[in-house]
Structure formats: C-alpha cells, structure tokens
Amino acid sequence: MEHIVTFASLLTPLVTGLVQLLKRTFPIKKKFIPLISFFIGIIVGILAYPFTEMTVVLRLWSGGIAGLAATGLYELGKRSSGKASRKAG
C-alpha cells in the first residue's frame, strides 16, 4: 500500500500538468475534467513501467489515485490563490 501512495504522489504533478495542457488546448466542459484526469492518471501509471518494478495492477491504482488527486490539487491551488469564483451568499 505504501508503494501505491508514494508512486501516486510522484505522478500527481505530472498528471496535473497534462490535464492543464489538455484544458488549454481543447475546449473541455468542466464536468468532464475529473473523469479525464482519472483516465490520464491511469494512462501515465501504465506508461511508467520503466521507472518502477510495481505490477500493472498497482500502477493502475497509483495512476487512478494520482488522477483524482491531480484534480483536487489544482482546485486547492486555485482556491488558495483567489482565482475561484465566489458566490454571493
């Protein structure tokens, strides 16, 4: 389990960057971004086989976790920098 979390932590910034690249390149609806991020994470996890001796299943889990964490990481950074829209309450 520790290997999955460690590997996901290393993949998260890469997945965040790839998702941002896709968002700036193609018009993507906001509701699909977490799903796209999840699948990009899985793809990056699969393609990372030269860098780890983890099995494919563990790399898939790590990639999926990294994809979901990448969405949360970006949203957290956006909110802390004040770029998020504030709703009047």
Side-chain angles (χ1 to χ4, degrees):
M1 183 67 180
E2 294 169 1
H3 297 293
I4 294 173
V5 174
T6 303
F7 195 55
S9 299
L10 295 173
L11 293 179
T12 300
L14 177 64
V15 173
T16 302
L18 290 173
V19 170
Q20 291 307 309
L21 180 68
L22 278 177
K23 281 174 47 178
R24 293 176 191 265
T25 306
F26 302 105
I28 300 173
K29 292 184 180 181
K30 287 187 177 187
K31 66 180 182 178
F32 295 120
I33 292 174
L35 186 64
I36 291 169
S37 180
F38 177 73
F39 284 114
I40 288 175
I42 288 177
I43 291 168
V44 169
I46 290 171
L47 295 177
Y49 67 89
F51 305 109
T52 182
E53 295 182 8
M54 294 170 60
T55 64
V56 174
V57 173
L58 294 179
R59 288 195 319 262
L60 286 171
W61 274 101
S62 296
I65 292 170
L68 295 175
T71 303
L73 179 67
Y74 178 75
E75 289 297 323
L76 181 66
K78 192 166 101 174
R79 285 190 186 141
S80 66
S81 68
K83 291 183 181 180
S85 62
R86 296 185 180 144
K87 294 182 181 178

